[in-house]
Coordinates of all heavy atoms in Angstrom, one line a residue:
M1160 N 0.8 -1.2 0.0 CA 0.0 0.0 0.0 C 0.9 1.3 0.0 O 1.8 1.3 0.8 CB -0.9 0.0 1.2 CG -1.9 1.1 1.2 SD -3.4 0.8 2.3 CE -2.7 0.4 3.8
S1161 N 0.6 2.2 -0.9 CA 1.4 3.4 -0.9 C 1.1 4.3 0.3 O 0.0 4.1 1.0 CB 1.1 4.2 -2.2 OG -0.1 4.9 -2.0
K1162 N 2.0 5.2 0.6 CA 1.8 6.0 1.8 C 0.5 6.9 1.6 O -0.1 7.3 2.6 CB 3.0 6.9 2.0 CG 4.1 6.1 2.6 CD 5.4 6.9 2.8 CE 6.4 6.0 3.5 NZ 7.7 6.6 3.6
I1163 N 0.3 7.3 0.4 CA -0.9 8.2 0.2 C -2.2 7.4 0.4 O -3.1 7.9 1.1 CB -0.9 8.7 -1.3 CG1 0.3 9.7 -1.4 CG2 -2.2 9.4 -1.6 CD1 0.7 10.0 -2.9
Q1164 N -2.2 6.2 0.0 CA -3.4 5.3 0.3 C -3.5 5.0 1.7 O -4.6 5.0 2.3 CB -3.2 4.0 -0.5 CG -3.6 4.1 -2.0 CD -3.2 2.9 -2.7 OE1 -2.3 2.2 -2.4 NE2 -4.0 2.6 -3.8
E1165 N -2.4 4.9 2.4 CA -2.4 4.7 3.9 C -3.0 5.8 4.6 O -3.9 5.7 5.5 CB -0.9 4.5 4.3 CG -0.8 4.0 5.7 CD 0.7 4.0 6.2 OE1 1.5 3.6 5.3 OE2 1.0 4.4 7.3
I1166 N -2.7 7.1 4.2 CA -3.2 8.2 4.8 C -4.7 8.3 4.5 O -5.6 8.5 5.4 CB -2.6 9.5 4.3 CG1 -1.2 9.7 5.0 CG2 -3.5 10.7 4.5 CD1 -0.5 10.9 4.7
K1167 N -5.1 8.0 3.3 CA -6.5 8.1 3.0 C -7.3 7.0 3.7 O -8.4 7.2 4.1 CB -6.7 7.9 1.5 CG -6.3 9.1 0.7 CD -6.6 8.9 -0.8 CE -6.1 10.0 -1.7 NZ -6.3 9.7 -3.1
G1168 N -6.6 5.9 3.9 CA -7.3 4.8 4.6 C -7.5 5.1 6.1 O -8.4 4.6 6.7
C1169 N -6.5 5.8 6.6 CA -6.5 6.1 8.1 C -7.3 7.3 8.4 O -7.7 7.5 9.6 CB -5.1 6.2 8.6 SG -4.2 4.7 8.6
I1170 N -7.5 8.2 7.5 CA -8.3 9.4 7.8 C -9.5 9.5 6.9 O -9.4 9.9 5.8 CB -7.4 10.7 7.6 CG1 -6.1 10.7 8.4 CG2 -8.2 12.0 8.1 CD1 -5.2 11.9 8.1
P1171 N -10.6 9.0 7.4 CA -11.8 9.1 6.6 C -12.1 10.6 6.3 O -12.0 11.5 7.1 CB -12.9 8.6 7.5 CG -12.2 7.8 8.5 CD -10.9 8.5 8.7
P1172 N -12.3 10.9 5.0 CA -12.6 12.3 4.6 C -13.6 13.0 5.5 O -13.4 14.2 5.8 CB -13.1 12.2 3.2 CG -12.6 10.9 2.7 CD -12.4 10.0 3.9
E1173 N -14.6 12.2 5.9 CA -15.7 12.8 6.7 C -15.0 13.4 8.0 O -15.4 14.5 8.5 CB -16.7 11.7 7.0 CG -17.9 12.3 7.7 CD -19.0 11.2 7.9 OE1 -18.8 10.1 7.3 OE2 -20.0 11.5 8.5
N1174 N -14.2 12.6 8.6 CA -13.5 13.0 9.9 C -12.6 14.2 9.7 O -12.6 15.2 10.4 CB -12.7 11.9 10.5 CG -13.5 10.7 10.9 OD1 -14.7 10.6 10.6 ND2 -12.9 9.8 11.6
Y1175 N -11.9 14.2 8.6 CA -11.0 15.2 8.3 C -11.7 16.6 8.2 O -11.3 17.6 8.8 CB -10.2 15.0 7.0 CG -9.3 16.2 6.6 CD1 -8.1 16.4 7.2 CD2 -9.8 17.1 5.7 CE1 -7.3 17.5 6.8 CE2 -9.1 18.2 5.3 CZ -7.8 18.4 5.9 OH -7.1 19.5 5.6
Y1176 N -12.7 16.6 7.4 CA -13.5 17.9 7.2 C -14.2 18.3 8.5 O -14.2 19.5 8.8 CB -14.4 17.7 6.0 CG -13.7 17.7 4.7 CD1 -13.6 16.6 3.9 CD2 -13.1 18.9 4.2 CE1 -12.9 16.6 2.7 CE2 -12.4 18.9 3.0 CZ -12.3 17.8 2.3 OH -11.6 17.8 1.1
N1177 N -14.7 17.4 9.2 CA -15.4 17.8 10.4 C -14.4 18.4 11.4 O -14.8 19.3 12.2 CB -16.1 16.5 11.1 CG -17.4 16.2 10.4 OD1 -18.1 17.1 9.9 ND2 -17.8 14.9 10.4
E1178 N -13.2 17.9 11.4 CA -12.2 18.4 12.4 C -11.5 19.6 11.9 O -11.0 20.4 12.7 CB -11.2 17.3 12.7 CG -11.7 16.3 13.6 CD -10.9 15.0 13.7 OE1 -9.7 15.1 13.3 OE2 -11.4 14.0 14.1
N1179 N -11.4 19.8 10.6 CA -10.5 20.9 10.0 C -11.2 22.0 9.4 O -10.6 23.0 9.0 CB -9.5 20.3 9.0 CG -8.5 19.4 9.7 OD1 -7.5 19.9 10.2 ND2 -8.7 18.1 9.7
L1180 N -12.5 21.9 9.2 CA -13.2 23.0 8.5 C -14.5 23.3 9.3 O -15.2 22.5 9.7 CB -13.6 22.5 7.1 CG -14.2 23.5 6.1 CD1 -13.3 24.6 5.8 CD2 -14.5 22.7 4.8
A1181 N -14.6 24.6 9.6 CA -15.8 25.1 10.3 C -17.1 24.8 9.5 O -17.1 25.2 8.4 CB -15.7 26.5 10.7
G1182 N -18.0 24.2 10.1 CA -19.3 23.9 9.4 C -19.6 22.4 9.6 O -19.1 21.8 10.5
A1183 N -20.5 21.9 8.7 CA -20.9 20.5 8.8 C -21.4 20.1 7.5 O -21.8 20.9 6.6 CB -22.0 20.4 9.9
F1184 N -21.4 18.7 7.3 CA -22.0 18.2 6.1 C -23.5 18.4 6.1 O -24.1 18.3 7.1 CB -21.7 16.7 6.0 CG -20.3 16.4 5.6 CD1 -19.3 16.0 6.5 CD2 -19.9 16.4 4.3 CE1 -18.0 15.8 6.1 CE2 -18.6 16.1 3.8 CZ -17.7 15.8 4.8
G1185 N -23.9 18.8 4.9 CA -25.4 19.1 4.8 C -26.0 18.1 3.8 O -25.6 16.9 3.8
K1186 N -26.9 18.5 3.0 CA -27.7 17.7 2.1 C -26.9 16.9 1.2 O -25.9 17.3 0.6 CB -28.6 18.7 1.3 CG -29.7 18.0 0.6 CD -30.5 19.2 -0.1 CE -31.8 18.6 -0.8 NZ -31.4 17.9 -2.0
H1187 N -27.2 15.6 1.1 CA -26.6 14.7 0.2 C -27.1 14.9 -1.2 O -28.3 15.0 -1.4 CB -26.8 13.2 0.6 CG -26.1 12.2 -0.2 ND1 -26.7 11.1 -0.7 CD2 -24.8 12.2 -0.7 CE1 -25.8 10.4 -1.4 NE2 -24.7 11.0 -1.4
T1188 N -26.2 15.2 -2.2 CA -26.7 15.5 -3.5 C -26.4 14.4 -4.5 O -26.6 14.5 -5.7 CB -26.1 16.8 -4.0 OG1 -24.7 16.7 -4.0 CG2 -26.5 18.0 -3.2
G1189 N -25.9 13.2 -4.0 CA -25.7 12.1 -4.9 C -24.2 11.7 -5.0 O -23.3 12.5 -4.9
N1190 N -24.0 10.4 -5.2 CA -22.6 9.9 -5.4 C -21.6 10.3 -4.3 O -20.4 10.5 -4.6 CB -22.1 10.3 -6.7 CG -22.8 9.6 -7.9 OD1 -23.2 8.4 -7.7 ND2 -23.0 10.3 -8.9
G1191 N -22.1 10.5 -3.1 CA -21.2 10.8 -2.0 C -21.0 12.3 -1.8 O -20.3 12.8 -0.9
W1192 N -21.5 13.1 -2.7 CA -21.4 14.6 -2.6 C -22.4 15.2 -1.6 O -23.6 14.8 -1.7 CB -21.6 15.2 -4.0 CG -20.4 15.0 -4.9 CD1 -20.3 14.0 -5.8 CD2 -19.2 15.7 -4.9 NE1 -19.1 14.1 -6.4 CE2 -18.4 15.1 -5.9 CE3 -18.7 16.8 -4.2 CZ2 -17.1 15.6 -6.2 CZ3 -17.4 17.3 -4.5 CH2 -16.6 16.7 -5.5
H1193 N -21.9 16.1 -0.8 CA -22.8 16.8 0.1 C -22.5 18.3 0.0 O -21.4 18.7 -0.2 CB -22.4 16.3 1.6 CG -22.9 15.0 1.9 ND1 -24.0 14.7 2.7 CD2 -22.4 13.8 1.5 CE1 -24.1 13.4 2.8 NE2 -23.2 12.8 2.1
K1194 N -23.6 19.0 0.3 CA -23.4 20.4 0.4 C -22.7 20.7 1.7 O -22.9 19.9 2.7 CB -24.7 21.2 0.4 CG -25.3 21.3 -0.9 CD -26.4 22.4 -0.9 CE -26.9 22.8 -2.3 NZ -26.2 24.0 -2.8
W1195 N -21.8 21.6 1.8 CA -21.1 21.9 3.0 C -21.8 23.1 3.7 O -21.9 24.2 3.1 CB -19.6 22.3 2.8 CG -18.9 22.5 4.0 CD1 -18.5 23.7 4.5 CD2 -18.5 21.6 5.0 NE1 -17.8 23.6 5.7 CE2 -17.8 22.3 6.1 CE3 -18.6 20.2 5.1 CZ2 -17.3 21.6 7.2 CZ3 -18.1 19.5 6.3 CH2 -17.5 20.3 7.3
N1196 N -22.3 22.9 4.9 CA -23.0 23.9 5.6 C -21.9 24.8 6.4 O -21.8 24.6 7.6 CB -24.0 23.4 6.6 CG -25.3 22.9 5.9 OD1 -25.6 23.4 4.8 ND2 -26.0 21.9 6.5
G1197 N -21.2 25.5 5.6 CA -20.2 26.4 6.2 C -19.6 27.2 5.1 O -20.0 27.0 3.9
L1198 N -18.7 28.0 5.4 CA -18.1 28.9 4.4 C -16.9 28.3 3.7 O -16.2 27.5 4.2 CB -17.6 30.2 5.1 CG -18.7 31.0 5.8 CD1 -18.1 32.3 6.5 CD2 -19.9 31.4 4.9
C1199 N -16.7 28.7 2.4 CA -15.6 28.2 1.6 C -14.4 28.9 2.1 O -14.4 30.2 2.2 CB -15.8 28.5 0.1 SG -14.3 28.3 -0.8
P1200 N -13.3 28.2 2.5 CA -12.1 28.8 3.0 C -11.2 29.5 1.9 O -10.2 30.1 2.2 CB -11.4 27.7 3.7 CG -11.8 26.5 3.0 CD -13.2 26.7 2.5
F1201 N -11.6 29.3 0.7 CA -10.8 29.7 -0.4 C -11.2 31.1 -1.1 O -10.5 31.6 -1.9 CB -10.7 28.7 -1.5 CG -10.2 27.3 -1.0 CD1 -11.0 26.3 -0.8 CD2 -8.8 27.2 -0.7 CE1 -10.6 25.1 -0.3 CE2 -8.4 26.0 -0.2 CZ -9.2 24.9 0.0
H1202 N -12.3 31.6 -0.7 CA -12.6 33.0 -1.1 C -13.3 33.7 0.0 O -13.7 33.0 1.0 CB -13.4 32.9 -2.4 CG -14.9 32.5 -2.3 ND1 -15.3 31.2 -2.2 CD2 -16.0 33.2 -2.1 CE1 -16.6 31.1 -2.1 NE2 -17.0 32.4 -2.0
A1203 N -13.5 35.0 -0.1 CA -14.2 35.7 0.9 C -15.7 35.4 1.0 O -16.5 36.2 0.5 CB -14.0 37.2 0.7
D1204 N -16.0 34.2 1.4 CA -17.3 33.7 1.4 C -18.1 34.4 2.6 O -17.6 34.5 3.7 CB -17.3 32.2 1.6 CG -18.5 31.5 1.0 OD1 -19.4 32.2 0.5 OD2 -18.6 30.3 1.1
K1205 N -19.3 34.7 2.3 CA -20.2 35.4 3.3 C -21.4 34.5 3.6 O -22.0 34.7 4.6 CB -20.6 36.8 2.8 CG -19.4 37.7 2.8 CD -20.0 39.2 2.7 CE -18.8 40.2 2.7 NZ -18.1 40.2 1.4
R1206 N -21.7 33.6 2.7 CA -22.9 32.8 2.8 C -22.6 31.4 2.5 O -22.0 31.1 1.5 CB -24.0 33.3 1.9 CG -25.2 33.8 2.5 CD -26.3 34.3 1.5 NE -26.7 33.2 0.6 CZ -27.4 33.3 -0.5 NH1 -27.7 34.6 -0.9 NH2 -27.7 32.3 -1.2
A1207 N -23.0 30.5 3.4 CA -22.8 29.1 3.2 C -23.5 28.6 2.0 O -24.6 29.2 1.6 CB -23.2 28.3 4.4
G1208 N -23.0 27.6 1.3 CA -23.8 27.0 0.2 C -23.1 26.8 -1.1 O -23.5 26.1 -2.0
S1209 N -21.9 27.4 -1.2 CA -21.2 27.3 -2.5 C -20.2 26.1 -2.6 O -19.8 25.7 -3.6 CB -20.4 28.6 -2.8 OG -19.8 29.1 -1.7
L1210 N -19.8 25.6 -1.4 CA -18.9 24.5 -1.3 C -19.5 23.2 -1.2 O -20.5 23.0 -0.5 CB -17.9 24.7 -0.1 CG -16.7 23.9 0.0 CD1 -15.7 24.2 -1.1 CD2 -16.0 24.1 1.4
V1211 N -19.1 22.2 -2.1 CA -19.6 20.9 -1.9 C -18.4 19.9 -1.7 O -17.3 20.2 -2.2 CB -20.4 20.4 -3.2 CG1 -21.7 21.2 -3.4 CG2 -19.5 20.5 -4.5
I1212 N -18.6 18.9 -0.9 CA -17.6 18.0 -0.5 C -18.1 16.6 -0.7 O -19.2 16.3 -0.4 CB -17.1 18.2 0.9 CG1 -16.4 19.6 1.0 CG2 -16.1 17.2 1.4 CD1 -16.0 20.0 2.4
N1213 N -17.2 15.7 -1.2 CA -17.5 14.3 -1.3 C -17.0 13.5 -0.1 O -15.8 13.4 0.2 CB -16.9 13.7 -2.6 CG -17.5 12.4 -2.9 OD1 -17.4 11.5 -2.1 ND2 -18.1 12.3 -4.1
K1214 N -18.0 13.0 0.7 CA -17.6 12.3 1.9 C -16.8 11.0 1.6 O -16.1 10.6 2.5 CB -18.9 11.8 2.6 CG -19.3 12.6 3.8 CD -20.5 11.9 4.5 CE -21.2 12.9 5.4 NZ -22.3 12.3 6.1
M1215 N -17.0 10.4 0.5 CA -16.3 9.1 0.2 C -14.9 9.3 -0.3 O -14.0 8.7 0.2 CB -17.1 8.3 -0.8 CG -18.5 7.9 -0.2 SD -19.5 6.8 -1.1 CE -19.5 7.5 -2.8
S1216 N -14.7 10.3 -1.2 CA -13.4 10.4 -1.8 C -12.6 11.6 -1.2 O -11.4 11.6 -1.3 CB -13.5 10.7 -3.3 OG -14.2 12.0 -3.5
G1217 N -13.3 12.5 -0.6 CA -12.6 13.7 0.0 C -12.5 14.8 -1.0 O -11.9 15.9 -0.7
A1218 N -13.0 14.6 -2.2 CA -13.0 15.6 -3.2 C -13.8 16.8 -2.8 O -14.7 16.7 -2.0 CB -13.5 15.1 -4.6
F1219 N -13.4 18.0 -3.3 CA -14.1 19.2 -2.9 C -14.2 20.1 -4.2 O -13.4 20.1 -5.1 CB -13.4 20.0 -1.8 CG -12.0 20.3 -2.1 CD1 -11.6 21.6 -2.5 CD2 -11.0 19.4 -1.9 CE1 -10.3 21.9 -2.8 CE2 -9.7 19.7 -2.2 CZ -9.3 20.9 -2.6
K1220 N -15.2 21.0 -4.1 CA -15.4 21.9 -5.2 C -16.2 23.1 -4.7 O -17.2 22.9 -4.0 CB -16.2 21.2 -6.3 CG -16.3 22.0 -7.6 CD -17.0 21.1 -8.7 CE -17.5 21.9 -9.8 NZ -16.6 22.6 -10.7
C1221 N -15.8 24.3 -5.1 CA -16.6 25.5 -4.8 C -17.2 26.1 -6.1 O -16.4 26.4 -7.0 CB -15.7 26.5 -4.1 SG -16.5 28.1 -3.8
F1222 N -18.5 26.3 -6.1 CA -19.1 26.8 -7.3 C -19.0 28.3 -7.4 O -19.3 28.9 -8.4 CB -20.6 26.4 -7.3 CG -20.8 25.0 -7.4 CD1 -21.3 24.2 -6.4 CD2 -20.6 24.4 -8.7 CE1 -21.5 22.8 -6.6 CE2 -20.8 23.0 -8.9 CZ -21.2 22.2 -7.8
S1223 N -18.5 28.9 -6.3 CA -18.3 30.4 -6.3 C -16.9 30.8 -6.9 O -16.8 31.6 -7.8 CB -18.5 30.9 -4.9 OG -18.9 32.2 -5.0
C1224 N -15.9 30.2 -6.3 CA -14.5 30.6 -6.7 C -13.8 29.6 -7.6 O -12.8 29.8 -8.2 CB -13.6 30.9 -5.5 SG -13.3 29.5 -4.5
G1225 N -14.5 28.4 -7.7 CA -14.0 27.4 -8.7 C -12.8 26.5 -8.2 O -12.3 25.7 -8.9
V1226 N -12.5 26.7 -6.9 CA -11.4 25.8 -6.4 C -11.9 24.4 -6.3 O -13.1 24.2 -6.1 CB -10.9 26.3 -5.0 CG1 -12.0 26.0 -3.9 CG2 -9.6 25.7 -4.6
N1227 N -11.0 23.5 -6.6 CA -11.5 22.1 -6.5 C -10.2 21.2 -6.4 O -9.1 21.6 -6.6 CB -12.3 21.7 -7.8 CG -11.4 21.7 -9.0 OD1 -10.7 20.7 -9.3 ND2 -11.4 22.8 -9.7
G1228 N -10.5 20.0 -5.9 CA -9.4 19.0 -5.7 C -10.0 17.7 -5.5 O -11.2 17.5 -5.3
G1229 N -9.1 16.7 -5.5 CA -9.6 15.3 -5.5 C -9.6 14.5 -4.2 O -10.1 13.5 -4.1
D1230 N -8.9 15.1 -3.2 CA -8.8 14.4 -1.9 C -8.4 15.3 -0.8 O -8.2 16.5 -1.0 CB -7.9 13.2 -2.0 CG -6.5 13.6 -2.5 OD1 -6.0 14.6 -2.1 OD2 -5.9 12.9 -3.4
I1231 N -8.3 14.7 0.4 CA -8.0 15.6 1.6 C -6.6 16.1 1.5 O -6.3 17.2 2.1 CB -8.2 14.9 2.9 CG1 -7.4 13.6 3.1 CG2 -9.7 14.5 3.1 CD1 -7.4 13.0 4.4
I1232 N -5.7 15.4 0.9 CA -4.3 15.9 0.8 C -4.3 17.2 -0.1 O -3.7 18.2 0.3 CB -3.3 14.9 0.2 CG1 -3.3 13.6 1.0 CG2 -1.9 15.5 0.0 CD1 -2.5 12.5 0.4
D1233 N -5.0 17.2 -1.1 CA -5.2 18.4 -2.0 C -5.8 19.5 -1.2 O -5.3 20.7 -1.3 CB -6.2 18.0 -3.1 CG -5.7 18.3 -4.5 OD1 -4.6 18.9 -4.6 OD2 -6.4 18.0 -5.5
F1234 N -6.8 19.2 -0.4 CA -7.5 20.2 0.4 C -6.5 20.8 1.4 O -6.4 22.0 1.5 CB -8.7 19.7 1.1 CG -9.5 20.7 1.9 CD1 -10.5 21.4 1.3 CD2 -9.1 21.0 3.2 CE1 -11.2 22.4 2.0 CE2 -9.8 22.0 3.9 CZ -10.8 22.7 3.3
H1235 N -5.8 20.0 2.0 CA -4.8 20.4 3.1 C -3.8 21.3 2.5 O -3.4 22.3 3.1 CB -4.2 19.1 3.8 CG -3.7 19.4 5.1 ND1 -4.5 19.7 6.2 CD2 -2.4 19.5 5.6 CE1 -3.8 19.9 7.3 NE2 -2.5 19.8 6.9
M1236 N -3.3 21.0 1.3 CA -2.3 21.8 0.6 C -2.8 23.2 0.4 O -2.2 24.2 0.7 CB -2.0 21.2 -0.7 CG -1.0 20.1 -0.8 SD -1.0 19.3 -2.4 CE -0.3 20.7 -3.4
K1237 N -4.0 23.2 -0.3 CA -4.5 24.5 -0.7 C -5.0 25.3 0.5 O -4.8 26.5 0.5 CB -5.7 24.2 -1.7 CG -5.2 23.7 -3.0 CD -6.3 23.5 -4.0 CE -5.7 23.3 -5.4 NZ -6.3 22.1 -6.1
A1238 N -5.6 24.7 1.5 CA -6.1 25.4 2.6 C -5.0 26.0 3.4 O -5.2 27.1 4.1 CB -7.0 24.6 3.5
N1239 N -3.9 25.4 3.5 CA -2.8 25.8 4.3 C -1.6 26.4 3.6 O -0.5 26.7 4.2 CB -2.3 24.7 5.2 CG -3.5 24.2 6.1 OD1 -3.9 24.9 7.0 ND2 -4.0 23.0 5.9
G1240 N -1.7 26.4 2.3 CA -0.6 26.9 1.4 C 0.7 26.1 1.5 O 1.8 26.6 1.6
L1241 N 0.5 24.8 1.6 CA 1.6 23.8 1.8 C 1.9 23.2 0.4 O 1.1 23.0 -0.4 CB 1.2 22.8 2.8 CG 0.9 23.2 4.2 CD1 0.4 22.0 5.0 CD2 2.1 23.8 4.9
S1242 N 3.2 22.7 0.4 CA 3.6 21.9 -0.8 C 3.0 20.5 -0.5 O 2.5 20.2 0.6 CB 5.1 21.7 -0.8 OG 5.5 21.0 0.3
F1243 N 2.9 19.7 -1.6 CA 2.4 18.3 -1.4 C 3.1 17.6 -0.3 O 2.5 17.0 0.6 CB 2.5 17.6 -2.7 CG 2.0 16.1 -2.6 CD1 0.6 15.9 -2.7 CD2 2.9 15.1 -2.4 CE1 0.2 14.6 -2.6 CE2 2.4 13.8 -2.2 CZ 1.1 13.5 -2.3
K1244 N 4.5 17.7 -0.3 CA 5.3 17.0 0.7 C 4.9 17.4 2.1 O 4.8 16.6 3.0 CB 6.8 17.4 0.4 CG 7.7 16.3 0.7 CD 9.1 16.7 0.3 CE 10.1 16.1 1.3 NZ 11.5 16.7 1.0
D1245 N 4.8 18.7 2.3 CA 4.5 19.2 3.7 C 3.1 18.8 4.1 O 2.9 18.5 5.3 CB 4.7 20.7 3.8 CG 6.2 21.1 3.7 OD1 7.0 20.2 4.0 OD2 6.5 22.2 3.5
A1246 N 2.1 18.9 3.2 CA 0.8 18.6 3.5 C 0.7 17.1 3.9 O 0.1 16.7 4.9 CB -0.2 18.8 2.3
F1247 N 1.4 16.3 3.1 CA 1.5 14.9 3.4 C 2.1 14.6 4.8 O 1.6 13.8 5.5 CB 2.4 14.3 2.3 CG 2.5 12.8 2.4 CD1 1.5 12.0 1.9 CD2 3.7 12.2 2.9 CE1 1.7 10.6 2.0 CE2 3.8 10.9 3.0 CZ 2.8 10.0 2.5
K1248 N 3.2 15.3 5.1 CA 3.8 15.1 6.4 C 2.9 15.5 7.5 O 2.8 14.7 8.5 CB 5.0 16.0 6.5 CG 6.4 15.3 6.3 CD 7.5 16.2 6.8 CE 8.7 16.2 5.8 NZ 9.5 17.3 5.9
E1249 N 2.2 16.6 7.4 CA 1.3 17.0 8.5 C 0.2 16.0 8.7 O -0.2 15.6 9.8 CB 0.6 18.3 8.1 CG 1.5 19.5 8.5 CD 0.7 20.8 8.5 OE1 -0.5 20.8 8.6 OE2 1.4 21.8 8.5
L1250 N -0.4 15.5 7.6 CA -1.5 14.6 7.7 C -1.0 13.2 8.2 O -1.6 12.6 9.0 CB -2.1 14.3 6.3 CG -3.0 15.5 5.8 CD1 -3.5 15.2 4.4 CD2 -4.2 15.7 6.7
R1251 N 0.2 12.9 7.8 CA 0.8 11.7 8.3 C 1.0 11.7 9.8 O 0.8 10.7 10.5 CB 2.1 11.4 7.6 CG 2.6 10.0 7.8 CD 3.7 9.6 6.8 NE 4.4 8.4 7.3 CZ 4.0 7.2 7.3 NH1 2.8 7.0 6.9 NH2 4.7 6.2 7.8
G1252 N 1.3 12.9 10.3 CA 1.4 13.1 11.8 C 0.1 12.9 12.5 O 0.1 12.5 13.7
E1253 N -1.0 13.0 11.8 CA -2.3 12.8 12.5 C -2.8 11.4 12.4 O -3.8 11.0 13.0 CB -3.3 13.7 11.8 CG -3.2 15.2 12.0 CD -4.2 16.0 11.3 OE1 -5.2 15.4 10.9 OE2 -4.0 17.2 11.1
V1254 N -2.1 10.6 11.6 CA -2.6 9.3 11.3 C -2.4 8.4 12.6 O -1.3 8.3 13.1 CB -1.8 8.6 10.2 CG1 -2.2 7.1 10.1 CG2 -2.2 9.3 8.8
Q1255 N -3.5 7.9 13.1 CA -3.5 7.1 14.3 C -3.3 5.6 14.1 O -2.7 4.9 14.9 CB -4.8 7.3 15.0 CG -5.2 8.7 15.4 CD -4.2 9.3 16.3 OE1 -3.8 8.7 17.3 NE2 -3.7 10.5 16.0
C1256 N -3.6 5.2 12.9 CA -3.6 3.7 12.7 C -2.4 3.3 11.9 O -2.3 2.2 11.4 CB -4.9 3.2 12.0 SG -5.2 4.0 10.4
A1257 N -1.4 4.2 11.7 CA -0.2 3.8 11.0 C 0.5 2.7 11.7 O 0.6 2.6 13.0 CB 0.7 5.0 10.8
K1258 N 1.0 1.7 11.0 CA 1.7 0.6 11.6 C 3.1 1.0 12.1 O 3.7 1.8 11.4 CB 1.8 -0.5 10.6 CG 0.5 -1.3 10.4 CD 0.0 -1.2 9.0 CE -1.5 -1.2 9.0 NZ -2.1 -0.5 7.9
Ligands
LIG2675 ZN1 -14.8 29.3 -2.8

């Protein structure tokens, strides 16, 4: 198993977003996608409702500013201005079930 898969396996996207992003999962819109009841961290959002997050894959997309990514590592990089390597390291530090 690759280290990336290990992180994904150990941090369910649902837990990651609940812990790292203010707000909560809202209405399910299909295929694992949920509206995020909270503000988009990538633009000066004033009203909840533009960000959607996939609980299963961790993918995210904002219909207002257009930011998007395929998993929590992508989100962690963009939200914190980190390189892939650093985002990976930080997330790895949070992994509880690493062997
Ligand atoms: Zn946005």
